[in-house]
Amino acid sequence: ELKELHISFTQYTRGLQRRTIENVCGLSFSTYAGEVTALVGASGSGKSLLAHAVMGLLPYNASMDGEIFIVKLLEKEQIEQLRGSEILLVPQGASYLDPLMKSGAQILKGSRDPQKKT
């Protein structure tokens, strides 16, 4: 279940001015065990961004607000423990993967960095 999920990015423009761009605005939905749920939308509408948020894989300049429930309310560290065993992200394109690293390690660890262990 997602409740009022907001995902935004901080960007710097000319003269080091900072702006915040909100990409996902107040998304809420529920899905239940045994159900297949599809999220559809146009290219760039935030489907992959949502998947990365649920997996705890947002980039450093992203911030997230709202609630994500997976059986129970989870903290970031708990999501990292479930990554690869209970929840899994299969990227929509091979270009997402690092060609110098085994794909299994990237999918299980959620990292494109071969030196990163978690």
Side-chain angles (χ1 to χ4, degrees), residues 40-105:
V40 297
S43 178
S45 63
K47 300 178 300 290
S48 294
L49 184 60
L50 173 63
H52 285 89
V54 170
M55 296 290 292
L57 298 174
L58 290 174
Y60 72 93
N61 65 330
S63 62
M64 181 175 69
D65 188 32
E67 298 176 306
I68 299 174
F69 295 89
I70 304 174
V71 180
K72 61 178 184 172
L73 183 62
L74 299 176
E75 297 295 326
K76 183 177 180 182
E77 296 79 25
Q78 295 169 307
I79 291 173
E80 290 173 356
Q81 291 174 350
L82 292 177
R83 191 182 304 142
S85 61
E86 297 291 326
I87 56 177
L88 182 69
L89 171 65
V90 178
Q92 61 188 10
S95 63
Y96 180 83
L97 300 173
D98 183 342
L100 302 177
M101 186 178 174
K102 291 185 177 188
S103 58

Side-chain angles (χ1 to χ4, degrees), residues 9-21:
F9 288 89
T10 300
Q11 290 184 336
Y12 288 91
T13 60
R14 291 177 160 186
L16 298 178
Q17 292 177 336
R18 188 171 74 176
R19 70 178 181 169
T20 300
I21 300 171

